[in-house]
Every structure is written in structure tokens, then in C-alpha cells.
Amino acid sequence: MAEAVEVRKVAQESGEFEPKIVAFLCKWCSSAGSDLAGVSRLQYPSNAVPITVPCSGSVSPIYILSAFNKGADGVLVSGCHPGDCHYLKGNFFARRRIYLVQKLLQFIGVEPNRFRMSWVSAAEGTKYAQVIADFVKDLKPLGPHGKLGAKR
Amino acid sequence: MVAIEDIRARARTLLESGEVRAVLGYQRGSAGTLAEPAFLTEPQQAASLVWDPTCIHNLALYLVNEKKRQRTQRSNDKRPLAVVAKGCDSRALVVLLQENHIDRSEVVILGVSCEGGGVIDPRKLTRALAGRAATTVAMDGADAIRVGTASGETTLPASELLADRCLECARAYPELYDTLYGDKAEGRSYSPRFAALNTVAEKPLDERRAYWNAHFERCIRCYACRAVCPMCYCDECVVDSTEFVVTPNTSADEKANRIRWIQRSPDASESAMYHLVRAMHLAGRCIDCAECERVCPVNIPVRLLNNVLEREALEAFEYVPGTDPGLPSLISSFRDGDPNDFVR
Amino acid sequence: MTRRTGVFVCHCGTNIAATVDVKKVAAELGQDEGVVFSNDYVYMCSDPGQQSVINAIKDHDLDSVVISCCSPTLHEKTFRDTSAAGGMNPFQCEIANIREQCAWVHKDKAKATPKAIKITRAAVKRVRRNESLTPIGVPVTRKVMVIGGGIAGIQSALDLANAGFEVVLVEKQATIGGHMIQLSETFPTLDCSQCILSPKMVEVSKNPRITLMTSSEVKSVSGFVGNFKVKVHSKAPFVDPEKCKLCDDCTPVCPVVVPNEYDLNLTGRRAIFIPYAQAIPASYTLDEEACLGLNPVVCGKCKEVCEAGAIDYDVKPKVTEYEIGAIVAATGFDLYDKGYLAEYGRGKYPDVLDGLQFERLCSASGPTGGQVLRPSDQKEPKNVVFIQCSGSRDPENHCAYCSKICCMYTAKHATLYQHKVHDGQAYVFYIDIRSGGKGYEEFVQRSMERDEVIYLRGRVSKVYPSKGKLKVMGVDTLSGKNVEIDADMVVLAQAMVPSKGTAEAAKTLKIGRDKDGFLAEAHPKLRPVESVTGGIFLAGAAQGPKDIPETVCQASAAVSKVIQLLSKPELEHSPTVAKVRDSHCTGCEMCVDACPFEAITLVNGKAHVNEVLCEGCGTCAGTCVRAAIDVKNVTQLQIHEMISACMGG
Ligand SMILES: Cc1cc2nc3c(=O)[nH]c(=O)nc-3n(C[C@H](O)[C@H](O)[C@H](O)COP(=O)(O)OP(=O)(O)OC[C@H]3O[C@@H](n4cnc5c(N)ncnc54)[C@H](O)[C@@H]3O)c2cc1C
Ligand code: SF4
Ligand code: SF4
């Protein structure tokens, strides 16, 4: 443990650690919101690679776990605000499911800040940029995640 | 009091009349003290049925397995199976009904109440007897268990021998049954619900991580937990592959199409992934029979991974698995007022 | 399954090329398994750009392409058409968005380039497993339902009928007309509202293609675009419109008096009544709730006096089922309740009116025959204060949005008042004046200059009764002074909100609402009259605050969309729908419960997707724990490989 903390500290101090993030964005709101961030030329860190899915409701827990297992330092799922889902209620199912994934991950010792859900509408380009910027900022001090269940 | 004679009599009539294909119950173990699952097809076998705190197994599993077997053997004996079911076993049946995996007409439920007791944890028993072998185990009132050994009988507090899940059980009687043996005892429980879970959940994050990493490190991926779970009834588990069931005609190309969510290697990270996926897939479905934990050869507290989601389901969504076959399941339903604060 | 994929990286002039090393992206992807061609070009979407894709498809025998460019919302269709022109199935084309999601939001080329590579690689992984699909053909019913009989619904119904379509117009009130029939004169031309609307209402009742269902509401909608099944519940018609002679013999004998909602409670009416003279259908109506009792009959007076025998207490409510191809939702608006405004008396002061009440006072058919009189004492008010933005533009306490039309109708109200009360003075408190529209600004200016309405820029903090007057405490921000006016009457330009019941209607129709509760359009700019649900269109104030001309425009626009839809022999439905892997499905029905569109049923113990109902959201796939259901071309296998690509693998 101590060693791992040391490694993380070093990474943190030298400012080299760039967290790898997978962002699952729903097509109608969050992906459109990220498009708006682009159109508005907002600047945010390049750490998050987006995967556009039809709806946050289509994000299976296994996607999230798999992203961590493939070495993601953080995973984001973003959908339409409650009540605004293009598919009426997909995001409500997502919210419940993701809540559970999050609690499970925290239980096995994954820092709460590594996994996030956000509501970003098509009009919220600024919010999208902020969500990514905040996520990167919060992930940096945590250092690399390593794979699930692996020693750090 | 559960009168075993009544259960035997019922089993005998059911078999004699040919109403059921077989009776699934418990019989005296051929090795050691623990009762073992019995698959009875002849009326005279009914006499071998037993009921005591060593009747640990969740017999719902055998119902599921039997169903699978019938399907592959294309049997057309449509008669139901009778199953002896404790509280937790009956909840498993409820979930199976809820998921249309079984039909109510396929099963005759001989519900037994644990009446304030429960079943023992064999590991606790071994520890308590310091190596001596038990010959008999019986409840002695609600709070004590009488254990017979070669050197005589001792009476031990039930709280020292009962399985964690029994200590924490709030409803130690069948939810659903055709006949009920014993009284529904409300308001028991030796420890609060989720007591074992909370001791781990309350550890600081770093300790929790170390705790689970050590466990995942040890997992040998024997999949015993999956094999014993009555809810893990899929023909093919996502852990193995999800693209298709392999047949002799399966081409190499098609094999390449399999999703390898999880590698077969017993790497800690792959094992973690396995356990987490399994926990997610049991969310709202696991009824806490704790069989997974019991059969684990390397003592991984598998039950707790399911417990944590069971607790969240209860606290955040007021969902209790295995209570009503008519209810939509935890993850195929939602409420407008579900927690939302965690979302940014 | 060896695929032959082509990758085309666009510079978008310098839009992408300035931050992403496009040549490097093309070169790297060129190394990837299955990529047999990769290239970059300055404008992929230009004619030569598209031609280069077509050529490459032919020359290199490509079976799939990835265009790494701008957002798929812009050019997915373009490049799918291009792919089809090259002889490929259009669903074998995927877009990697490296402009909005990469080049435009980063500056550092060294960081943006690897990200662009990952995004493109993910798209390559995805397209390699795409199925070739063809749109699903669906037959259509050539009959339209219009919900709401305000000007939006009336206009839609007439336009549709005139284009030759059968229309069912459903109105929940006893008469059509909506709010417009309550207005006196309309800005900016001050023509009489009833005079321009009544002929249209009559036309509705006369048109043989229009089935009018008043006192009715839609209770359930099933099916899908082109093929809806709609159940309409109608209240019992105790008075037969065919027989009613409008003699008015029944009302004098009715012992019940309740507030008259058509006059916004400024007058009363009986339990048997006619909303107003021009009501369509032209008939009296028996209000069951107000009546002393019909089962058993308590009073029975109206039936006794009705010589035409039009009244029958025994008729029952009925449910009618229609087969409908498209629906226009025109459920209109209500005014924000005065009760929410504590500072203006929570609606308790009789002489504090809302805009619609003031319309009734000005209307020749209204309670005062068009004279402006105070409700409390029927005296002519000499000082009237109009307060704009009452409940609008106040995100903290009330509605965040601008109700858009209040500046105009307040100017109209003040003008009408000055015309009617020559020695009176109208004051208008405003935040700013929004008078965009043909002739609108001139109208406002006229009210100030010719009609001498006093405009005060500022908010009113409080209104309270004092010595028979209403004390209005405001501030004039232009002079910086506090203003106190002893008013005889105050008129609040209340915010426009979605009509009561909009939430339920949206739920029944399975269409979305925006953050303020108005019906949501599919795209704020490009699809303003379509809902997100295929075959359901929006018109009028139900979609957002608007005035009559805009409402009429939108109604006609919605109709043109309906006609487009129903003119095709068959409809096309997107083929990216869910498909079930029977070998894995255990029939647990979790997906059945979760599907927002009720597209899944169990058939022989396995999930079965009705492809026409399926919108391809994938909620089922996210729910199924057995990976037994997937959405075509966004399968779990594809996502799995995309995740790897995002991680750099
Ligand atoms: C005080 C005031 C003054 C105005 N003055 C002017 C003016 O001078 N000039 C101008 O251009 N505009 C004016 N307007 C705006 C004008 O009133 C609206 O633009 C217009 O009425 C909108 O028409 P609509 O059909 O969309 O809605 P509505 O008029 O609200 O009609 C909706 C109809 O749908 C019915 N309905 C609602 N829900 C259901 C349901 N679930 N099922 C069946 N039926 C349903 C309602 O009963 C109603 O009949 C004014 C508005 C106000 C408030
Ligand atoms: S959720 Fe999965 S297993 Fe259950 S019915 Fe649907 S497809 Fe079949
Ligand atoms: S993709 Fe969405 S609409 Fe289609 S069947 Fe699945 S849940 Fe229903």
C-alpha cells in the first residue's frame, strides 16, 4: 500500500499523470451537449474519449466494469436530465442501475471520484466542458487506477 | 415445532398418488453431519426425510437443474416437483416465478419455518468443536443448539453456530407455500440485518480495497459460487461468452465474434470483474441464501458483494427481492423519486 | 469475416487540421487490421470529397467506411448517401466526430491527435461489425387526430380537411375556440377576435371530413407512426345538439349558479348553459358536476321545460376507438395562477385582474358588454396599472422564461382602455419591451405616443388595497425614483404556462416535455413542429408561448409535415432496432418491463421485438442480464471493442 501511495504522490507532483477516461454519452442530450461545447469552442482537457450510445439507459453495468478492467482511470456516464430523455424514460433506468454500480465499486474500495454520472442536456455545452474539467481535476490526485482488483 | 413426521407423510402421499414426479428434500448425510439434498421418487423413501439445522442447501437449485435436465432430455413428464423450502429457499422460488423461469404449476412447495432458529455454518461448527466431529445437531429452544459428538452432547448458544445470514434473517419463514410446517415466527434475529456486511463496509476505503484485492487474488475461478446459485440459471454466462452457444457447426469466425468481457485466467483483475458482474446481475435477484459463500473453497466472502446491493436496493429503492412474483424486478423498474443527488 | 474498411479523415479547412494532425490519424488508422484504404482531404463533405469516397469504395472494393469529421448530426446522412452512391449499404458508414468532440475543444496538437486516433479507431471497430440494413416499411392510415380545439387545432383540422384528409378533432371543453374566442380585439391590427374566429369554427362544424368530439379527451394511444389506435372518452351528452333549438328556456329554471369559466369567473352561469353564443357545436350543455344530481334525478326542471325534447338524463359517457395515422397535439396554454403572486395579493383582490379577465371586460360579448368596469363596484376605473412579466422571467420564484406575447397584449390592453375611458390614465410597468414582429413595434409606439399610455421601466414590488384604491408600489429605474400609484384597477400580464393536463397528455402520447413543461419539439431549430415520437406533431401554445399568427403558422407547418408523412405509400422506420438472441433469452420479461415503447412481448417464452415500435434506445440491452438482446449496429460486442479502442488498444 505504502509503495502505491508513494507512486501516486510522485505522479501527482511531477504533474505527469493524465487520467484515462471513457465517457459514455447519450446521443440526444450529452453527445449533443458536447457538440455544443465544440461549436462554442470551449476548452477542456483531452483525457476523456467519448463513446456515443443511443441512451444512457443502454449502458450496461458491464460496460463500466469493463472500461475499468481495461485500464480506465475514470468512467463517466452522461444522459439527458430526468424527464427529458429522448426515449422518455431510459435515463431513469440508467440512474437506478448506475447508482448500484457506483455503490458496488465503492464497496470494493474504488474511490468514489473515479466513477461519475451526469445529466448534460443538448443546450449545456458549458456544463459538459465543466463536467470533464472537474472530473480530470478530481482524478489527478488519485493517480492511476490500475486494473480492477489489482494491487496499486 | 416442525414435525418431520408430517413432512414425511405429505411426501409419501404426494408420491403415492403420483401427483408429483419427485420430492426434493433433505436426508441424513452419507458423510459427516450435514444433511444432504435428496431426490425422492418412491413413496417408501419418504421415511428418510430429515429436518434439522444442518439442512443448509437451497433446494431451489435442484429444481432449476432438474428443469434444465428435463429440457435436454426432452422429457414429457409434466408433473410438478415437490420441494422442501425454508424462508430463503422460498424467496428464491419467488424470484424464479417472477422471472418466468418456473411456473407455479411446476412446483408443490412444502414450506418449513425456521421458527426462530436457522441453519448452521459448518465452519463455525468445526471451530466450536475444536476439531471433534459432530454426530447430531438439533435446535434446543430458540437460542441454543444441541450438538452430539462421540464424547457426548454439548449445548451451545445458537448465535455461535448459526450461519451469518440466519443470524441476520428478518423473515425466517416461507413467503410462498402449499403447505406450511412450523409456525411463522416474527420479530426474531440475533444480529441486525447486514451486520456482517457493515463490518466490512465501515472499514476505510484503503482497507476495503486491500481486503477485496486479497480475496480476488485468491479466487481460483472454479465458478462454484455460480454453479450453486439458483439464480445463475442462464445456459451461457456472460462471463464465458455472450455471442452464442457453441454447436458442432460453429465456425472459427463465429467463435472469434465472442465478447471476451472477462478473460479465463485467474488474474486478480479478471476475478474482480467476474465477481462484480455477478453481483450486478444478482442485484434485486439475490435472496441471500449465502450458498455461494458456503461453497467457496478459498473462503471469499462472496455473500457480501450481493449484500451490499441488497442493502442499497432496500435503503434507496425500498426493494426487497423474493417477496412478490408479480412485481417488476429491481432494475427493470424505477421511481421518479429515486436518488438523484449522486448525479452531477 | 475479413472486412475491407476505408477511413477518410477530413481537415475541415483548418477547423480540424489546426489542432489534429490529420495526416497522422490517416496514417495510423491505415495500419489497423482490416483498414485497406485511408486518406485525408481538405473538405470531405464537398463534391470532390464525396466523389473520392465513392471512388475509393469502387477502387478498393470497400465494404465499410469511417468518415472522421464533424458531428454525425451534421453529415451522417450525407456520407451514408455517398456510401450508397458508391454501391455500399448506407449502414456500413460510420462517423467519427473529431471536430466538435476533439479539434474544437483542445489546443494542444500533441494531445488532440492521439484522442482523434482513438475516436476514429473506435468507429472503425464499430463499423467492422455493422450489419447491412434496410429501412423497415410500414403501411399508413390516412386519418389524422387533432387534439385541442383552439386556433391551433382549428387551423390544423381545416387545413387537413381541405387537403382531403379525414380528421378527428378532440376538444375537452364543451365548445371549440380555445383562448382566442375569449379575446376582445387582437394586436396589432385590433380586429375583433370573435369576428375572425367564428367563421372558422362554423367551417369546422360544416366540413364533412371533420369529426368533432367535444367534451372529450384522449385516454390511450397505442401503435406507432402511421398506425395509431386512439381511445377517446367523451362525457355523456345530456343535451342532444341535433335537437337543441337554443331557445334558452332551460337556464331560467335551473336553480344552480356556478362561476362562468368562459368569463374567467367574472360572471356566473347555470348548470345547464351555453358557453357563449357562438359555441360550436351550437348547443346547450349540462354540466354534470354542477347539476344537483342525475342519478337519481334530483331536480329535473330543465328536462320538463325543454319543448324540443333535447334533454336525456340517461345517456352514458362513451369510448370511441379510432385508427389514426398521425396526431397533432394542440393542447394550448393557461395563464399562470395569480395565487402564486404573494406581492400582488394572491388573486384575492377583486380589482387585480389577469390579462384574460381584462380581455373579457373589453369584449362586447363579455360581462360588461365591453365597458371597462371594476368588478368590485362596477365603477369605471380612472387609473389602471398594467404590470408586465408577472410570473415570467423570474427563475428564482416563478417561470424562468419570457412569455413572449405579454408586451404586445399589454400595449393592446392599455390602448383599448384609453380608447374606452377618455379621461382615464393607463400605466405600464415593464422590464423591457419585446415587440419583434410585423407592425408590432409601431403598435407599441402608437400606444405611447398617440394614446398617451405612461410606460415606466421597473418592477412593482407590492400591490395592496388602501382606502378603496389599490396602492401600487413600484420603481422607475430610468429616473431612479420610487413610484406610488393609487390605482383603481391592476392588470397582471401573467406568464403563459402549458395548459392543465399537458403532463398527462404528454404521457398518454408518449412525447416529451421541455424543462418548463411545454411539449418538446424534436429539434429546437430544424424540427420545430415534430415531437420526438414519430407521427406526433405539435402546434400552438402547447409547444411554447406564442401569439395567433405564429400559432397559425405552426399549425399549417405541422399539417404540411403530416401531409408529407401520409402521402407516402409506405413509411420508413429506422432499422437500427433491437434483436433478441433466442439462445440466450430466458423469457424473464425484464426488457418487457423496461422498454419505454412497449415494443417487446414474450412469444413462446422468448422476447420478441416489434420492430416498428422499437426506437432503438437500447434500454432493453442495458437491462438484460443475459446479454440476450442488442440493438443492431450498437451491439455489446461493438461497444466492447470500442472501449478497447478508447483505451488505446
Ligand atoms: C390575455 C391574452 C391576450 C392575447 N391577445 C392576443 C392578441 O391580441 N393577438 C394575438 O395574436 N394573440 C393574442 N394572445 C395569444 C393567443 O391567445 C394564443 O396565441 C392562442 O390562443 C393560442 O392558441 P392555441 O390553440 O395554441 O391554444 P388555446 O387557445 O389554449 O387552445 C387550446 C385548446 O385545447 C384544449 N385542450 C387542452 N388540453 C386538451 C386535451 N388534453 N384534450 C383535448 N383538448 C384539450 C383547450 O380546451 C383549448 O380549447 C393573447 C393571449 C392572452 C393570454
Ligand atoms: S431481459 Fe433478456 S432474458 Fe429477459 S426476456 Fe428480455 S431478452 Fe430475454
Ligand atoms: S431498443 Fe428500446 S425501444 Fe427497442 S425494444 Fe429495446 S427498449 Fe424497446
Side-chain angles (χ1 to χ4, degrees):
Chain A
M1 266 326 288
E3 200 186 337
V5 171
E6 210 38 53
V7 170
R8 268 185 273 161
K9 240 193 218 138
V10 171
Q12 189 185 330
E13 275 158 16
S14 60
E16 274 163 14
F17 171 60
E18 288 294 348
K20 285 188 271 180
I21 302 171
V22 179
F24 295 97
L25 311 180
C26 81
K27 171 173 168 180
W28 301 94
C29 289
S30 297
S31 188
S34 80
D35 280 355
L36 181 60
V39 174
S40 325
R41 307 297 200 280
L42 302 173
Q43 297 295 309
Y44 57 81
S46 60
N47 305 58
V49 186
I51 295 183
T52 301
V53 291
C55 174
S56 55
S58 75
V59 176
S60 163
I62 208 166
Y63 297 177
I64 298 154
L65 299 172
S66 178
F68 277 119
N69 207 31
K70 289 176 194 290
D73 298 303
V75 178
L76 173 76
V77 178
S78 189
C80 312
H81 286 266
D84 291 352
C85 177
H86 179 84
Y87 301 108
L88 311 167
K89 49 189 186 181
N91 58 353
F92 285 114
F93 292 105
R95 180 171 66 179
R96 197 170 252 215
R97 229 179 276 139
I98 299 246
Y99 178 87
L100 293 168
V101 175
Q102 172 201 257
K103 292 291 175 185
L104 183 64
L105 285 171
Q106 290 174 15
F107 179 59
I108 65 145
V110 174
E111 295 90 344
N113 269 342
R114 290 202 186 270
F115 178 45
R116 222 159 246 194
M117 184 175 199
S118 63
W119 306 130
V120 173
S121 79
E124 291 176 326
T126 331
K127 180 165 177 190
Y128 182 76
Q130 194 62 48
V131 163
I132 299 295
D134 287 350
F135 201 13
V136 173
K137 184 172 97 291
D138 293 343
L139 280 169
K140 285 202 168 171
L142 297 179
H145 179 243
K147 291 176 134 203
L148 279 173
K151 287 221 171 63
R152 296 203 204 129
Chain B
M1 264 306 274
V2 176
I4 184 63
E5 278 315 321
D6 295 350
I7 306 181
R8 287 177 186 152
R10 179 82 187 127
R12 174 183 284 274
T13 349
L14 285 169
L15 288 168
E16 262 166 7
S17 67
E19 252 176 87
V20 300
R21 195 148 36 94
V23 174
L24 278 168
Y26 300 95
Q27 67 193 13
R28 196 63 293 131
S30 44
T33 344
L34 298 192
E36 61 190 25
F39 195 88
L40 315 179
T41 50
E42 303 301 328
Q44 61 274 20
Q45 293 174 316
S48 66
L49 288 177
V50 299
W51 173 247
D52 64 32
T54 68
C55 296
I56 295 174
H57 308 77
N58 184 345
L59 299 180
L61 171 73
Y62 295 93
L63 189 73
V64 167
N65 288 352
E66 172 60 12
K67 198 173 158 84
K68 221 174 251 178
R69 197 170 70 210
Q70 266 213 317
R71 186 151 40 95
T72 48
Q73 295 177 348
R74 303 219 165 77
S75 151
N76 46 22
D77 188 344
K78 295 269 180 281
R79 288 175 299 161
L81 283 179
V83 184
V84 174
K86 305 185 288 291
C88 43
D89 309 348
S90 82
R91 284 188 282 276
L93 295 174
V94 170
V95 176
L96 293 172
L97 287 167
Q98 191 179 16
E99 297 179 353
N100 305 323
H101 193 57
I102 54 172
D103 189 85
R104 189 66 182 85
S105 66
E106 290 177 74
V107 46
V108 173
I109 306 172
L110 311 178
V112 282
S113 170
C114 293
E115 294 194 309
V119 298
I120 57 155
D121 177 339
R123 292 186 184 107
K124 289 187 187 172
L125 182 65
T126 317
R127 223 177 300 138
L129 294 184
R132 279 174 299 158
T135 50
T136 57
V137 180
M139 288 305 296
D140 186 357
D143 304 324
I145 295 179
R146 220 169 337 102
V147 182
T149 62
S151 52
E153 260 192 5
T154 50
T155 302
L156 294 164
S159 55
E160 273 176 32
L161 294 186
L162 289 183
D164 283 353
R165 74 163 196 286
C166 297
L167 294 175
E168 297 170 17
C169 180
R171 296 156 75 87
Y173 50 81
E175 291 304 324
L176 189 73
Y177 48 81
D178 293 294
T179 39
L180 175 67
Y181 303 91
D183 300 322
K184 288 186 179 183
E186 294 282 357
R188 45 157 267 132
S189 104
Y190 299 82
S191 345
R193 190 87 192 92
F194 306 120
L197 167 69
N198 289 337
T199 53
V200 177
E202 280 155 15
K203 289 179 200 283
L205 186 100
D206 274 359
E207 271 180 46
R208 262 184 348 252
R209 181 167 51 231
Y211 174 89
W212 283 108
N213 287 358
H215 283 304
F216 294 144
E217 195 83 25
R218 234 177 28 251
C219 174
I220 55 172
R221 299 282 282 291
C222 63
Y223 296 137
C225 44
R226 184 177 78 188
V228 81
C229 177
M231 298 313 154
C232 281
Y233 57 73
C234 297
D235 282 336
E236 186 174 296
C237 177
V238 288
V239 163
D240 299 331
S241 150
T242 59
E243 197 50 25
F244 45 72
V245 183
V246 182
T247 67
N249 303 329
T250 309
S251 69
D253 226 17
E254 284 169 321
K255 276 187 188 153
N257 270 351
R258 302 180 139 222
I259 313 180
R260 296 192 198 287
W261 287 118
I262 299 167
Q263 301 297 325
R264 182 65 187 82
S265 70
D267 204 53
S269 66
E270 300 300 328
S271 298
M273 177 82 182
Y274 161 68
H275 285 286
L276 299 184
V277 169
R278 184 163 176 277
M280 279 312 301
H281 283 183
L282 287 170
R285 306 173 62 232
C286 168
I287 41 72
D288 198 21
C289 66
E291 286 286 88
C292 45
E293 183 163 317
R294 180 181 64 88
V295 298
C296 178
V298 291
N299 297 338
I300 296 175
V302 190
R303 171 179 176 244
L304 302 185
L305 293 172
N306 299 325
N307 272 176
V308 70
L309 296 180
E310 190 184 339
R311 188 185 63 193
E312 292 302 335
L314 176 69
E315 289 174 1
F317 309 119
E318 293 172 46
Y319 188 93
V320 182
T323 47
D324 180 355
L327 231 54
S329 57
L330 174 69
I331 56 160
S332 65
S333 56
F334 68 84
R335 293 198 289 199
D336 291 350
D338 280 353
N340 191 56
D341 291 351
F342 72 101
V343 190
R344 307 225 157 196
Chain C
M1 193 195 55
T2 24
R3 297 293 298 259
R4 300 181 60 82
T5 308
V7 176
F8 302 84
V9 188
C10 181
H11 300 208
C12 195
T14 56
N15 277 302
I16 294 172
T19 10
V20 169
D21 183 344
V22 284
K23 295 234 178 279
K24 183 160 179 211
V25 177
E28 276 241 355
L29 266 297
Q31 309 290 312
D32 277 20
E33 191 196 338
V35 176
V36 294
F37 179 82
S38 78
N39 202 358
D40 60 278
Y41 187 72
V42 59
Y43 284 114
M44 266 343 291
C45 60
S46 66
D47 266 355
Q50 292 190 47
Q51 193 54 48
S52 76
V53 177
I54 295 176
N55 294 344
I57 293 174
K58 293 184 174 151
D59 296 348
H60 299 272
D61 199 15
L62 302 181
D63 60 12
S64 47
V65 299
V66 166
I67 319 285
S68 199
C69 56
C70 52
S71 166
T73 54
L74 296 167
H75 281 311
E76 186 176 81
K77 171 125 190 9
T78 315
F79 289 115
R80 290 204 163 157
D81 291 348
T82 310
S83 304
M88 235 177 62
N89 182 287
F91 290 87
Q92 296 292 359
C93 164
E94 289 294 342
I95 305 292
N97 178 354
I98 59 164
R99 193 178 75 177
E100 284 82 348
Q101 292 184 336
C102 187
W104 275 352
V105 287
H106 309 311
K107 283 207 181 77
D108 185 350
K109 219 170 182 169
K111 286 180 170 167
T113 305
K115 177 171 164 184
I117 292 173
K118 288 177 184 169
I119 293 176
T120 310
R121 181 169 290 141
V124 169
K125 296 268 191 192
R126 177 174 175 194
V127 84
R128 279 162 47 76
R129 300 206 183 265
N130 269 7
E131 279 179 62
S132 293
L133 302 172
T134 32
I136 302 162
V138 192
V140 279
T141 312
R142 273 165 237 291
K143 189 177 211 172
V144 187
M145 179 166 287
V146 176
I147 306 175
I151 178 61
I154 292 173
Q155 183 71 31
S156 308
L158 290 174
D159 281 2
L160 282 163
N162 290 336
F165 290 91
E166 293 288 318
V167 181
V168 182
L169 175 57
V170 181
E171 166 59 54
K172 72 174 169 194
Q173 303 293 348
T175 171
I176 56 171
H179 286 106
M180 184 174 164
I181 202 71
Q182 296 172 312
L183 305 183
S184 53
E185 280 146 34
T186 54
F187 63 75
T189 44
L190 294 185
D191 35 2
C192 147
S193 188
Q194 302 191 337
C195 314
I196 56 177
L197 184 56
S198 304
K200 282 184 176 281
M201 291 167 59
V202 174
E203 221 182 309
V204 167
S205 68
K206 295 263 152 65
N207 195 310
R209 292 207 187 87
I210 301 178
T211 311
L212 180 57
M213 307 282 291
T214 46
S215 300
S216 300
E217 276 184 78
V218 169
K219 278 295 161 223
S220 73
V221 178
S222 60
F224 44 88
V225 49
N227 297 274
F228 295 108
K229 281 203 173 55
V230 185
K231 278 202 182 121
V232 177
H233 277 219
S234 308
K235 289 189 192 156
F238 299 107
V239 184
D240 184 346
E242 301 291 315
K243 294 190 186 151
C244 174
K245 298 210 157 45
L246 305 174
C247 63
D248 198 37
D249 285 349
C250 50
T251 54
V253 300
C254 177
V256 183
V257 179
V258 290
N260 185 352
E261 51 280 50
Y262 296 91
D263 277 336
L264 295 128
N265 304 346
L266 293 172
T267 56
R269 62 161 173 87
R270 303 299 164 114
I272 191 158
F273 70 108
I274 184 161
Y276 39 83
Q278 307 91 323
I280 297 288
S283 168
Y284 278 63
T285 310
L286 201 167
D287 173 358
E288 199 180 355
E289 269 158 45
C291 175
L292 291 178
L294 291 171
N295 189 20
V297 177
V298 174
C299 151
K301 294 223 172 72
C302 53
K303 188 173 174 176
E304 273 166 33
V305 299
C306 180
E307 280 177 11
I311 303 175
D312 177 357
Y313 298 140
D314 296 326
V315 287
K316 296 274 169 292
K318 68 168 193 254
V319 180
T320 325
E321 191 171 32
Y322 291 100
E323 306 225 329
I324 294 289
I327 299 174
V328 178
T331 50
F333 71 99
D334 278 331
L335 287 187
Y336 189 61
D337 194 340
K338 283 184 291 187
Y340 293 120
L341 293 155
E343 62 274 34
Y344 306 150
R346 290 203 183 279
K348 293 211 184 81
Y349 312 144
D351 298 330
V352 176
L353 305 179
D354 66 28
L356 279 174
Q357 288 176 315
F358 194 77
E359 292 284 344
R360 296 311 295 145
L361 286 188
C362 294
S363 169
S365 69
T368 54
Q371 262 187 291
V372 180
L373 297 176
R374 310 214 301 177
S376 61
D377 53 11
Q378 301 300 313
K379 288 203 184 113
E380 200 172 59
K382 299 297 176 196
N383 283 316
V384 179
V385 173
F386 294 88
I387 302 176
Q388 292 195 178
C389 299
S390 174
S392 292
R393 303 172 70 190
D394 186 350
E396 261 85 64
N397 307 304
H398 305 289
C399 309
Y401 52 89
C402 162
S403 293
K404 197 172 179 180
I405 63 162
C406 323
C407 290
M408 287 311 297
Y409 76 62
T410 302
K412 173 183 79 176
H413 288 169
T415 302
L416 289 177
Y417 170 73
Q418 295 293 46
H419 290 182
K420 285 173 193 277
V421 183
H422 299 289
D423 57 345
Q425 181 59 55
Y427 301 86
V428 175
F429 279 93
Y430 69 102
I431 302 182
D432 36 38
I433 302 289
R434 299 180 172 181
S435 55
K438 203 163 162 176
Y440 285 16
E441 176 60 17
E442 297 89 319
F443 183 83
V444 176
Q445 288 305 328
R446 259 200 314 276
S447 80
M448 294 181 192
E449 285 155 22
R450 192 192 62 198
D451 298 315
E452 296 179 343
V453 175
I454 298 177
Y455 269 75
L456 297 161
R457 187 170 203 270
R459 283 236 183 222
V460 171
S461 59
K462 200 166 172 60
V463 174
Y464 61 93
S466 148
K467 302 190 195 113
K469 301 253 179 194
L470 288 161
K471 180 78 84 191
V472 178
M473 312 284 287
V475 58
D476 176 1
T477 51
L478 294 182
S479 67
K481 291 209 185 79
N482 286 339
V483 185
E484 258 186 62
I485 300 171
D486 286 323
D488 300 307
M489 182 186 272
V490 172
V491 180
L492 305 176
Q494 289 297 95
M496 273 170 116
V497 295
S499 69
K500 192 165 159 266
T502 300
E504 292 78 65
K507 216 171 196 172
T508 312
L509 293 171
K510 303 193 188 75
I511 58 177
R513 292 189 302 143
D514 63 25
K515 69 177 198 332
D516 303 313
F518 291 102
L519 300 180
E521 62 279 7
H523 188 281
K525 291 159 206 149
L526 303 178
R527 297 171 68 196
V529 297
E530 294 159 76
S531 77
V532 291
T533 307
I536 304 191
F537 302 85
L538 315 174
Q543 181 262 346
K546 54 179 68 70
D547 58 17
I548 297 164
E550 216 187 321
T551 297
V552 171
C553 283
Q554 210 185 16
S556 295
V559 166
S560 93
K561 286 285 167 194
V562 172
I563 296 176
Q564 271 178 37
L565 179 77
L566 300 187
S567 306
K568 296 181 196 143
E570 255 199 347
L571 298 183
E572 280 193 355
H573 182 71
S574 163
T576 47
V577 293
K579 71 166 180 229
V580 179
R581 210 175 277 133
D582 275 355
S583 58
H584 286 61
C585 175
T586 64
C588 70
E589 275 187 305
M590 287 194 203
C591 57
V592 176
D593 290 336
C595 174
F597 301 95
E598 287 156 37
I600 315 179
T601 43
L602 278 201
V603 176
N604 296 330
K606 304 277 177 192
H608 172 81
V609 179
N610 179 335
E611 298 198 332
V612 180
L613 286 180
C614 173
E615 293 282 331
C617 66
T619 303
C620 50
T623 304
C624 179
V625 295
R626 306 169 221 284
I629 193 163
D630 252 332
V631 177
K632 290 179 187 168
N633 293 358
V634 242
T635 63
Q636 315 214 11
L637 178 56
Q638 289 174 302
I639 301 276
H640 174 258
E641 297 190 347
M642 289 173 84
I643 298 171
S644 302
C646 289
M647 296 317 302

